[in-house]
Amino acid sequence: MAIIAIINQKGGVGKTTTAINLAAQLASSKKKVLLVDLDPQANATSGLNIEKQSTTTTYEVLIGSINLSDAIKPTNLKNLDILPCNPNLTAAELDLSQRPNREYCLSNALKQDKVHDYIIIDCPPALGLLTINALTASNFLIIPVQAEYYALEGLGQLLDIVQRVREGLNPSLELLGVLITMYDRRTSLSQNVSDEVKKYFKDKVFRTVIPRNIRLAEAPSYGKTIFQHDRWSKGARAYKQFTNEVLNMGRNK
Ligand code: ATP
Ligand code: MG
């Protein structure tokens, strides 16, 4: 089983869009997939049209008041389950901070899972305790980077934290790759940012680049993945190709 965190403390870079569509495409490739919503904004939950009022969410699983299997819900896609959340998850930062094993709450919960081939974690735009829990629970990281000015800002800090987690809490954590998102081929800015990212991360950049595509932005408002919303769109084709890269990396490990 592979646990992959989609992470970047910068807001609005395409984490949730990547988490939802990677999870959906892995599921349609006959993998059993669990999408964990670890962001109190609950965008992955609403993006898959799952109600947020539930009292069996990521929060209850993290504080240990219910078992993971009692909180997991099916989605309307075959092979895709979700651990949903709602804004109450904000309280977890505080509640968990008092505990001795506060960095391991998610890791311990996910160890109960024997069903899924892939667990995809949608992280919040912050480097707090929720994100540390994701880093501790994961084998792999995917960092989406928006092809915009300031894209690289903050990545040094993120990599520093990843390194510290590797040295202590989770030595087996590995960067699967950096994914360039919202690429606009009409602008030289997108090209420049992409060149910078490749110069810095070298072979750790996914070959697939996700274009800026209005269909990707529309899909969550219908509670749909891009494949349900418009499977022939540029966005759908890019996320399919990206998922194939992820699947092929799995085969080589
Ligand atoms: P946050 O940090 O707030 O959780 P995020 O990193 O999860 O944000 P998303 O929610 O995936 O980012 O994307 C931010 C916004 O950009 C959303 O409105 C989303 O629909 C839109 N978006 C994401 N990817 C694309 C794309 N490739 N083309 C056009 N719009 C996109
Ligand atoms: Mg998000």
Side-chain angles (χ1 to χ4, degrees), residues 37-106:
D37 196 347
L38 194 64
D39 180 359
Q41 296 178 97
N43 293 150
T45 302
S46 53
L48 284 173
N49 212 11
I50 305 290
E51 60 128 346
K52 293 196 211 166
Q53 302 316 317
S54 170
T55 51
T56 52
T57 66
T58 309
Y59 175 73
E60 286 77 19
V61 170
L62 284 177
I63 63 169
S65 67
I66 55 168
N67 288 330
L68 178 69
S69 57
D70 295 327
I72 290 176
K73 293 185 176 57
T75 67
N76 59 19
L77 286 165
K78 193 166 176 240
N79 295 326
L80 179 60
D81 296 325
I82 186 165
L83 176 58
C85 78
N86 60 36
N88 292 347
L89 182 59
T90 313
E93 291 272 352
L94 198 61
D95 293 350
L96 298 183
S97 67
Q98 321 292 334
R99 303 189 173 204
N101 286 328
R102 56 185 176 265
E103 298 95 348
Y104 290 98
C105 299
L106 183 62

Side-chain angles (χ1 to χ4, degrees), residues 26-251:
L26 286 169
S28 86
S29 312
K30 300 196 168 61
K31 304 293 181 189
K32 294 218 172 302
V33 184
L34 172 63
L35 177 59
V36 174
D37 196 347
L38 194 64
D39 180 359
Q41 296 178 97
N43 293 150
T45 302
S46 53
L48 284 173
N49 212 11
I50 305 290
E51 60 128 346
K52 293 196 211 166
Q53 302 316 317
S54 170
T55 51
T56 52
T57 66
T58 309
Y59 175 73
E60 286 77 19
V61 170
L62 284 177
I63 63 169
S65 67
I66 55 168
N67 288 330
L68 178 69
S69 57
D70 295 327
I72 290 176
K73 293 185 176 57
T75 67
N76 59 19
L77 286 165
K78 193 166 176 240
N79 295 326
L80 179 60
D81 296 325
I82 186 165
L83 176 58
C85 78
N86 60 36
N88 292 347
L89 182 59
T90 313
E93 291 272 352
L94 198 61
D95 293 350
L96 298 183
S97 67
Q98 321 292 334
R99 303 189 173 204
N101 286 328
R102 56 185 176 265
E103 298 95 348
Y104 290 98
C105 299
L106 183 62
S107 175
N108 289 336
L110 296 184
K111 279 192 188 126
Q112 299 166 20
D113 184 80
K114 303 282 181 261
V115 179
H116 298 94
D117 303 311
Y118 285 87
I119 298 182
I120 308 295
I121 306 173
D122 185 27
C123 292
L127 289 176
L129 197 47
L130 286 169
T131 297
I132 300 294
N133 264 269
L135 292 173
T136 307
S138 301
N139 321 110
F140 301 106
L141 300 177
I142 292 175
I143 305 180
V145 169
Q146 189 182 354
E148 292 286 348
Y149 198 54
Y150 295 133
L152 291 164
E153 209 173 62
L155 283 183
Q157 198 191 3
L158 173 58
L159 294 176
D160 251 20
I161 291 206
V162 169
Q163 188 50 30
R164 272 159 56 193
V165 169
R166 235 184 237 136
E167 284 162 10
L169 301 163
N170 181 11
S172 65
L173 183 62
E174 196 182 312
L175 174 62
L176 199 58
V178 172
L179 177 66
I180 296 169
T181 64
M182 300 185 222
Y183 186 90
D184 185 345
R185 64 187 167 80
R186 293 165 305 181
T187 70
S188 54
L189 178 61
S190 269
Q191 183 64 50
N192 294 346
V193 173
S194 159
D195 289 347
E196 281 290 302
V197 170
K198 283 178 189 152
K199 204 155 65 182
Y200 192 79
F201 287 97
K202 303 196 171 66
D203 61 338
K204 283 290 184 187
V205 182
F206 286 101
R207 280 195 301 277
T208 309
V209 168
I210 308 297
R212 187 170 277 287
N213 176 228
I214 186 73
R215 307 303 260 168
L216 281 168
E218 289 165 359
S221 63
Y222 298 100
K224 288 182 173 174
T225 69
I226 190 61
F227 310 106
Q228 295 168 306
H229 181 54
D230 184 352
R231 60 198 289 242
W232 302 114
S233 61
K234 275 193 201 155
R237 278 181 284 165
Y239 272 110
K240 190 169 177 194
Q241 191 185 325
F242 163 64
T243 305
N244 284 337
E245 274 194 67
V246 172
L247 280 165
N248 285 330
M249 287 169 150
R251 276 181 208 120

